[in-house]
Structures are given as structure tokens and as C-alpha cells.
């Protein structure tokens, strides 16, 4: 049977409940220090726009502070990435981003100072991933970049595992053809 | 694909300079505090609630009267056409040729054949109304939109033209509805549907892309297809009918969440998705492979996968 799709259930949840900032400062600091870079880079990888990636990352952590999310121990990063991906998707599926960002020069790398000059191969790969359709890009990033398994991604995205597998497979094929230059997305 | 397995290292090298710094953390704290204040300060929301109650009370007594006063008047549109106007002759011909069938989604067979609800073009362009940058195509169903689903009066057709592609929508224009005809919203349907009086009956128009124009500004599919929460049935020709409301809404949510904008064009095919709404109206999207088209073309393989699963 079809598994229901629930859009970012946390975002809709009782924002009014926030009588005080529900996540303790210590917890927030710990989560921010551990995962904010991952969230930011994931958003940048998804959107290809630094300012918007920072906006989304900021919004994700604001939600962490204000929306009373129920975070399972060990699943905090999954929650952060789920909210981030949903936010990125909201932006991406809007025509505005496609018109403005896809029409702009290629995805730019932001290397650490000591890595500059060694990145031509990486750039090609990352540009190709950035050009993938959103549905493929999400699963490729969550699986290959963030290391989540198919079952975890399915749970995160509220989709059947078969759909995630299929997207991974199709995403890989699409990526391969992009890298071979078979098609221009 | 070997390099894909190395993506974490590649990304950490390539984006190593992209860090969430202390300044961002500070902004997060500031925003969270402000948002928290706005959410919890009774001084902010009590007046808004009171104002809302007053508004509801006012609308409760005012809307029926407004509807009575603004309902479409029989025969008004024909009399507004200037005598001797050549366009009026064309318009009357078009009116007389209209097909007024009504469609009941999913009522015919388990695996429905292709049905299109678009009114066919009788000249170069399909019958339409252009208004505020949006284009709406005349539909064959229903034969007469019930007055109770009409929303507010939006405007009136100011320009009748046989060349809509050459006419911008700074003025409300049409190639089938005469000048002076009122255009109405449909309740709870946003900009998806409008109604105008034609040949003595209320006719439905659905928002579509036309002449390379589809979305406005930051619009998404959710903006041009504002039917969520009102779907009672779906019919995908050649595939099947889904008549469970909950499943229909889930499918629609999938569509809205995953549809990827492909172009501002349209789809010409012999497959359609008909979506019946709780107000008795039906909207249509044309289908080709994993793409859907109405106001722009959208790719959404996830929707078709889930639709097939739901039918099974």
C-alpha cells in the first residue's frame, strides 16, 4: 500500500506551544557545533546558492529552538537534515530559483584555503550532482554524502523504500550520463 | 561509480570553506527569540483574534447579501456588445458551438479511457480569459456552474480580442467572453478556477499556460493548483480511478511536494488526470509519460508511482 507522505510534520506542530525556548541552550550548542556545517553544506549542495543555503540552515536551527521537536536520541541529525531538505525542496520547486540560479554560472566550490588548486575533478562531480532533478539529488546526497541507508531515507522522507531505491538507481544513471556529457540538464 | 562513493571526502574538500560560524549562531538566537516573542505575546494575538471574530460576524451577515447583489445577471453580456461590432458576430458563433457536457469523474469504468475537458479551439487560440498575467482556459464541464460556488467578483472583461497572444493581460481580455462580462472567483480555489457568464450560463475556466506564460513571480504548482483539501476523486486515463478521499489527498500532497517544474509550455497528449472536487467541479491536467501539464509542465514520477500503487 502507498505510504502516506507527510510534509515536515515538525514544522506544522504547535508552534504556539513555545512558552519558552524548549531546547536547552546546552543541547542547542552541542547540536549546532556537531551538525551545522553538515546542514549548511547539504543545503548549499542542494541549492547552489550560498546565501539561500545559509538562510535555510539558519531557519532549521531556529525551528530547533522554537518548534518543540521530539528528537530521538541519535536521530537529531536526521531531523535537522529532514527539515533542511524539505526547506530546500520548497525553494527548489519554485520556479524562481530555477530561473535565477540555474541560469547562473556553474556551481562554485568553497574550499578551505589549503585545498585550493586541487579540485577540478571534484568540481565536475559536484556540478553534475547539483544539476540532478530534486528528487534524485535528495537521495544521492542523503545516501552518498550523509551516509544514510535506504530504510533511513525512506523513513526520513516518508516514502516507500522501493521509491528510494528506484530514485537512487535512476539518479546514478542520470549522474553517469551527465558526467559523460550525454545530456545537458 | 567509484567517485560517488568518495562523495563525503570530495565534499569536505570542496566545501571545506563553507562553515556555520558564530555569527550565524547569533542570528539564530536573535531570530528564535523574536519569533518566540511573537508567538507567545498575548498582546499581539488577542487583538487579531478579536478583529477576526468581528470580521467573521460581519461576513456572516454580509456575504449572502453580497452574493445576491453580485450574482450574474441573465443575458447581460450579449447586450453589452456594441452593435455592428464584427467581433460580436464571431463571439456568438463561438458561443453557439460550445459543448456543455458535464463530467462525473470515475463514473464510467475501472480503467477509464481518455477524456478531455478542455473546450476545443475554434480558431487559432483556445477559448480563454486573460487576467492579471494569468490565462484561464474554458472547460466543457460543468454545463452551468452553480451560483453557490461563485466567489467574489474579480473584474470584468475589458477587451474582446481574436488575437490573445498579441494582447497583454494588463486589461482583462478574452477571445470568447464579450466585453463587459463579469469574471468571478470560485470559492476556496484561489487562482485555479474562475467563472464567467457565457451563452446564458456560468462557464468554468481553469488556469493554464499560454504563449510561454505560466507562473508568476515565485509561484509554484501549489499556487496554480489550489485544490488541496477539496479532492474527492481522481481519474487517470488508462490507469484507473482513486475514489478514496484520504488517498486522493495523499497523492495530491505527493504531487505538490515533488513536482519539478519543467517548462512554461503545455502538454498535448491523449491522457489526462481529472480531479473531482467537493464543490462538484473537475479540474484537468494533461499527462505525458511522467509529466503533468496545466499551468506549466511539471515532472513528477513519484506521483505516478504512488497513483499506480493506490489503484492496485
Amino acid at each position: 500500500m502507498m505510504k502516506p507522505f507527510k510534509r515536515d510534520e515538525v514544522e506544522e506542530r504547535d508552534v504556539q506551544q513555545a512558552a519558552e525556548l524548549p531546547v536547552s541552550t546546552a543541547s542547542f550548542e552541542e547540536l549546532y557545533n556537531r551538525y551545522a556545517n553538515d546542514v549548511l553544506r547539504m543545503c548549499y549542495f542542494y541549492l547552489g546558492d550560498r546565501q539561500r543555503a545559509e538562510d535555510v540552515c539558519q531557519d532549521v536551527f531556529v525551528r530547533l529552538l522554537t518548534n518543540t521537536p521530539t528528537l530521538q536520541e541519535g536521530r537529531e541529525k536526521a531531523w535537522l537534515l529532514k527539515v533542511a531538505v524539505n526547506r530546500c525542496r520548497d525553494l527548489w520547486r519554485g520556479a524562481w530559483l530555477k530561473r535565477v540560479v540555474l541560469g547562473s554560472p556553474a556551481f562554485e566550490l568553497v574550499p578551505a584555503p589549503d585545498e585550493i588548486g586541487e579540485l577540478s575533478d571534484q568540481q565536475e562531480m559536484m556540478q553534475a550532482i547539483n544539476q540532478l532533478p530534486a528528487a534524485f539529488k535528495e537521495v544521492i546526497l542523503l545516501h552518498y554524502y550523509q551516509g544514510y541507508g535506504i530504510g533511513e531515507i525512506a523513513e526520513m522522507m516518508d516514502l516507500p523504500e522501493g521509491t528510494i531505491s528506484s530514485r537512487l538507481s535512476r539518479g546514478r544513471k542520470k549522474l553517469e550520463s551527465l558526467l559523460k556529457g550525454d545530456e545537458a540538464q | 561509480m567509484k567517485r560517488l562513493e568518495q562523495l563525503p571526502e570530495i565534499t569536505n574538500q570542496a566545501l571545506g570553506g563553507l562553515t556555520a560560524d558564530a555569527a550565524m549562531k547569533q542570528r539564530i538566537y536573535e531570530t528564535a527569540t523574536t519569533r518566540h516573542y511573537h508567538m507567545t505575546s498575548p498582546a499581539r494575538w488577542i487583538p487579531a483574534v478579536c478583529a477576526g471574530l468581528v470580521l467573521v460576524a460581519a461576513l456572516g451577515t454580509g456575504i449572502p447579501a453580497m452574493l445576491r447583489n453580485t450574482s450574474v445577471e441573465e443575458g447581460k453580456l450579449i447586450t453589452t456588445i456594441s452593435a455592428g461590432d464584427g467581433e460580436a458576430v464571431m463571439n456568438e458563433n463561438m458561443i453557439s458551438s460550445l459543448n456543455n457536457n458535464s463530467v462525473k469523474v470515475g463514473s464510467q469504468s475501472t480503467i477509464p479511457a481518455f477524456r478531455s475537458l478542455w473546450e476545443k479551439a475554434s480558431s487559432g487560440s483556445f477559448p480563454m480569459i486573460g487576467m492579471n498575467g494569468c490565462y484561464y482556459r474554458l472547460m466543457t464541464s460543468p454545463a452551468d456552474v452553480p451560483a453557490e460556488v461563485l466567489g467574489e467578483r474579480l473584474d470584468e472583461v475589458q477587451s474582446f480580442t481574436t488575437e490573445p497572444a498579441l494582447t497583454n493581460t494588463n486589461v482583462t481580455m478574452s477571445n470568447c467572453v464579450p466585453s463587459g462580462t463579469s469574471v468571478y472567483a470560485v470559492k476556496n480555489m484561489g487562482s485555479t478556477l474562475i467563472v464567467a457568464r457565457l451563452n446564458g450560463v456560468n462557464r468554468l475556466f481553469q488556469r493554464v499556460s499560454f504563449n510561454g506564460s505560466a507562473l508568476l513571480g515565485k509561484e509554484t504548482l501549489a499556487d496554480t493548483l489550489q485544490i488541496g483539501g477539496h479532492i474527492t476523486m481522481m481519474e487517470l486515463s488508462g490507469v484507473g480511478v482513486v475514489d478514496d478521499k484520504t488517498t486522493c489527498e495523499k497523492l495530491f500532497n505527493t504531487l505538490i511536494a515533488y513536482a519539478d517544474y519543467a517548462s512554461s509550455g503545455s502538454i498535448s497528449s491523449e491522457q489526462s488526470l481529472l480531479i473531482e472536487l467537493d464543490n462538484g467541479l473537475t479540474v484537468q491536467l494533461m499527462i505525458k509519460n511522467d509529466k503533468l501539464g496545466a499551468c506549466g509542465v511539471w515532472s513528477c514520477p513519484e506521483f505516478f508511482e504512488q497513483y499506480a500503487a493506490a489503484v492496485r
Side-chain angles (χ1 to χ4, degrees), chain B residues 182-294:
Chain B
S182 294
V183 178
Y184 293 86
V186 175
K187 285 178 190 170
N188 304 318
M189 293 291 129
S191 69
T192 304
L193 297 167
I194 59 173
V195 170
R197 196 89 170 148
L198 187 54
N199 203 25
V201 292
N202 294 333
R203 296 300 300 271
L204 186 67
F205 293 73
Q206 182 182 329
R207 190 167 167 193
V208 295
S209 56
F210 174 68
N211 198 30
S213 175
L215 304 178
L216 301 177
K218 296 180 182 179
E219 281 188 324
T220 67
L221 183 61
D223 299 310
T224 64
L225 205 56
Q226 294 182 47
I227 58 176
H230 299 282
I231 301 171
T232 56
M233 207 180 289
M234 289 182 173
E235 174 187 304
L236 181 56
S237 45
V239 178
V241 173
V242 177
D243 57 4
D244 173 68
K245 285 183 184 178
T246 308
T247 308
C248 286
E249 290 296 339
K250 286 174 185 168
L251 287 166
F252 183 72
N253 287 341
T254 298
L255 178 62
I256 292 299
Y258 285 100
D260 211 22
Y261 188 62
S263 78
S264 61
S266 56
I267 288 178
S268 176
S269 72
E270 293 201 345
Q271 189 179 25
S272 64
L273 175 68
L274 304 182
I275 305 176
E276 188 177 275
L277 308 172
D278 56 10
N279 56 10
L281 305 181
T282 304
V283 298
Q284 168 172 278
L285 287 88
M286 300 305 291
I287 308 296
K288 192 166 192 177
N289 301 323
D290 62 358
K291 291 188 169 58
L292 307 95

Side-chain angles (χ1 to χ4, degrees), chain B residues 40-245:
Chain B
T40 57
S41 170
R44 302 267 174 167
W45 58 263
I46 285 178
V49 170
C50 293
L53 288 172
V54 171
L55 183 62
V56 166
L59 291 177
T61 54
I63 280 179
M66 285 167 62
L67 279 178
R68 280 194 299 277
N69 291 337
T70 59
S71 60
V72 182
E73 296 169 31
E74 288 286 338
K76 179 181 175 184
L77 58 148
I78 298 300
T79 57
T80 60
I81 301 173
S82 310
D85 187 342
E87 289 176 344
V89 175
M90 179 269 181
N91 188 39
E92 286 179 305
N93 289 339
M94 182 172 281
I95 290 170
S96 65
S97 72
L98 291 176
N99 172 2
N100 290 340
N101 290 336
S102 289
V103 165
K104 182 72 178 169
V105 171
S107 60
Q108 294 188 346
S109 62
T110 308
I111 300 181
F114 170 59
R115 292 188 287 170
S116 174
L117 303 189
W118 300 135
E119 188 65 65
K120 288 190 176 65
S122 63
S123 59
S125 301
F126 52 74
M128 70 167 81
I129 292 173
M131 182 171 64
N132 298 327
C134 305
Y135 294 91
Y136 299 85
R137 182 169 183 175
L138 178 60
M139 306 187 80
T140 57
S141 174
D144 189 1
V145 179
E148 57 266 26
V149 308
L150 296 190
E152 63 177 329
R153 180 182 181 276
L154 300 171
D155 199 359
E156 67 177 32
V157 174
Q158 296 160 39
S159 171
F160 182 92
T161 175
T162 54
E163 295 286 354
L166 303 178
T167 310
N168 65 39
T169 55
N170 289 340
V171 295
T172 298
M173 62 88 178
S174 178
N175 62 354
C176 63
V177 176
S179 298
T181 305
S182 294
V183 178
Y184 293 86
V186 175
K187 285 178 190 170
N188 304 318
M189 293 291 129
S191 69
T192 304
L193 297 167
I194 59 173
V195 170
R197 196 89 170 148
L198 187 54
N199 203 25
V201 292
N202 294 333
R203 296 300 300 271
L204 186 67
F205 293 73
Q206 182 182 329
R207 190 167 167 193
V208 295
S209 56
F210 174 68
N211 198 30
S213 175
L215 304 178
L216 301 177
K218 296 180 182 179
E219 281 188 324
T220 67
L221 183 61
D223 299 310
T224 64
L225 205 56
Q226 294 182 47
I227 58 176
H230 299 282
I231 301 171
T232 56
M233 207 180 289
M234 289 182 173
E235 174 187 304
L236 181 56
S237 45
V239 178
V241 173
V242 177
D243 57 4
D244 173 68
K245 285 183 184 178

